[in-house]
Amino acid sequence: MLMASCVTTETVNPTSSPSKREFRGAWIQCVNGQFVGMSTEQMQNTLSYQLDELRKDGVNAIIFQVRPECDALYQSEIEPWSRFLTGKQGVAPAPYWDPLQWMIEQCHQRGMELHAWINPYRAKTKTTRELDFNHIARKRTDWVFSYDGQYILNPGIPEARDYVCRVVDDIVRRYDIDGLHIDDYFYPYPAAGQVIDDDAQYQRYNRSFNNKGDWRRDNVNVFIKQLYKTIHDRKPWVKFGVSPFGIYRNEKNAPGVGSKTNGTQNYDDLYADVLLWVNNGWLDYCVPQLYWEIGHKAADYTTLIKWWNSHCGNRPLYIGEDLERTVKHSDPRNPEVHQMGAKFQLHRQCSNVNGTVLWYAKAAVDNVGNYGKLLRTKYWRYPALQPQMDFIDGKAPKAPRKVKPLRMSEDYVLFWTKPQGSGWKDEACKYVVYRFNADEKVDLSDPSRIVAVTTNNFYKLPYKDGKTKYVYVVTALDRMNNESKGVVKRVKL
């Protein structure tokens, strides 16, 4: 029996201008403790169920948290196992497994990308009471400052920045990830009565900066540039994504640049100059966390999505969506429904927005406010390929070879052979299968005709009685989701 590892949706119906290329991500976090106390089998079953449901919802990328506090949800010789996996930091899972490797395999089998999500600087969360003897905050206490119950690796220390890049290089080198993702935690969010203890580092490493804020921003800038180079020097195809806080600057602090908002700012409060990174090409995609509702007094969603669309177009722009807040608030123009539809309409109206990331995955799986059902039946009804990134590679691979249907016992299977290709830019890594009625024009721009996105070189055909003619088309995708020309095969099903 053939086990097809693919995204399938054999029911083919037309829809109004669906998007063929769109980043449809979901964050799966561990820091909330959702996996603590689960056995290996229970966690695998939980994740398998979530991935299956998210696939039905149309999700094509999983952003999986693997390093919440300088620890690891993967086998590491550098950092200890995470307590968010086993309950105690430094203790390996039993029975043993490697969650990151397992998730890569599971996502790829479902036609999804896997982006490994790390928190670069947080070394201890507020709720962690004990650190393993091998933890960096115990081995190098001089690299860490305490802030509001947390430990933070000091961004002003070059060796600390080098350390994080070494951890990332280890992940990128050993795992077949599609992306490396960091979130909004750089310098800590301001807390009343708390002071960042970095006077000594400022005196030692100030690089002629006369303003500590400018120095801190430059520390993060240097790190982002270094991290981007670390990733792409190791594997040029691994996408580097950043998910910053949703406000860059308020207009009152930066007239002519900031948004008409009134809240915490990336630039001024977190020392994260996101626009500099985008405009200098130090990241491959940006996912601002626009977690507020339309009509929020301090941070209106409409204001912010339009601001990011206008200012952040030099790299692919995706929007981080809070599902629970979206369904909690009604649409100002139609109080009978929540804001999901209005927000998706804004996405379509913003020309630089080409994707969405769901915060958080379990909320979609649990179908809060009918959000998951609306994704799979309306907004993400048909599959979507990842957006192209021509600045990394824009050349398509060659088309699949020897495409033909074969009888396999009781199955009727469409087979093909991997096309020739040398190097990561030319090598096919997965395939797209389209289906058309015999009298239809073959139009590969129509995603409603996609019946599978698969890493396999076969697709099981839905054979009935052999009386109805169909046209199948198979294309190849490379690492950057560039698509080859199609190979046409006519069959009777």
Side-chain angles (χ1 to χ4, degrees), residues 289-488:
Q289 299 170 14
L290 305 192
Y291 290 171
W292 303 277
E293 69 271 17
I294 297 170
H296 190 283
K297 292 182 179 179
D300 172 54
Y301 181 94
T302 302
T303 297
L304 282 166
I305 193 172
K306 290 181 178 179
W307 186 93
W308 285 97
N309 180 67
S310 297
H311 291 82
C312 199
N314 286 346
R315 279 293 186 262
L317 174 63
Y318 316 138
I319 302 300
E321 293 284 355
D322 186 312
L323 274 64
E324 291 181 338
R325 293 190 204 180
T326 296
V327 301
K328 177 182 178 182
H329 296 278
S330 60
D331 183 344
R333 295 175 300 179
N334 183 4
E336 299 300 315
V337 299
H338 57 56
Q339 294 190 356
M340 181 181 183
K343 287 185 174 183
F344 268 85
Q345 184 176 6
L346 283 168
H347 281 228
R348 290 191 293 269
Q349 292 171 352
C350 294
S351 59
N352 286 322
V353 173
N354 198 17
T356 307
V357 183
L358 308 176
W359 177 257
Y360 48 101
K362 189 175 183 297
V365 171
D366 292 344
N367 193 33
V368 295
N370 217 32
Y371 199 105
K373 184 177 180 181
L374 285 169
L375 284 177
R376 69 179 62 180
T377 60
K378 184 176 182 180
Y379 298 106
W380 292 352
R381 181 178 181 181
Y382 301 114
L385 307 184
Q386 295 289 338
Q388 291 175 287
M389 294 185 176
D390 293 348
F391 51 89
I392 297 178
D393 172 39
K395 183 181 177 181
K398 293 181 179 179
R401 301 182 296 152
K402 301 177 182 178
V403 180
K404 58 182 177 180
L406 293 173
R407 295 285 181 181
M408 301 289 293
S409 185
E410 297 180 359
D411 295 327
Y412 195 29
V413 182
L414 189 64
F415 281 95
W416 56 87
T417 301
K418 183 177 181 178
Q420 293 180 342
S422 60
W424 67 269
K425 289 187 177 181
D426 299 323
E427 184 180 7
C429 62
K430 54 187 174 183
Y431 305 91
V432 186
V433 182
Y434 301 80
R435 188 179 80 171
F436 301 87
N437 295 325
D439 58 350
E440 285 184 303
K441 179 182 177 181
V442 171
D443 179 8
L444 300 189
S445 68
D446 184 357
S448 72
R449 301 311 181 196
I450 296 174
V451 294
V453 179
T454 178
T455 56
N456 290 328
N457 67 333
F458 60 84
Y459 173 74
K460 183 181 175 182
L461 296 166
Y463 184 81
K464 292 184 179 180
D465 54 15
K467 296 180 180 180
T468 307
K469 294 179 181 180
Y470 292 97
V471 175
Y472 278 82
V473 182
V474 183
T475 64
L477 299 175
D478 63 15
R479 286 275 190 179
M480 299 311 301
N481 291 280
N482 297 304
E483 187 176 21
S484 75
K485 294 180 180 180
V487 178
V488 175

Side-chain angles (χ1 to χ4, degrees), residues 135-145 152 157:
H135 193 274
I136 192 64
R138 292 189 62 178
K139 294 193 297 183
R140 294 303 305 259
T141 57
D142 56 322
W143 286 3
V144 175
F145 63 80
I152 309 294
I157 299 176

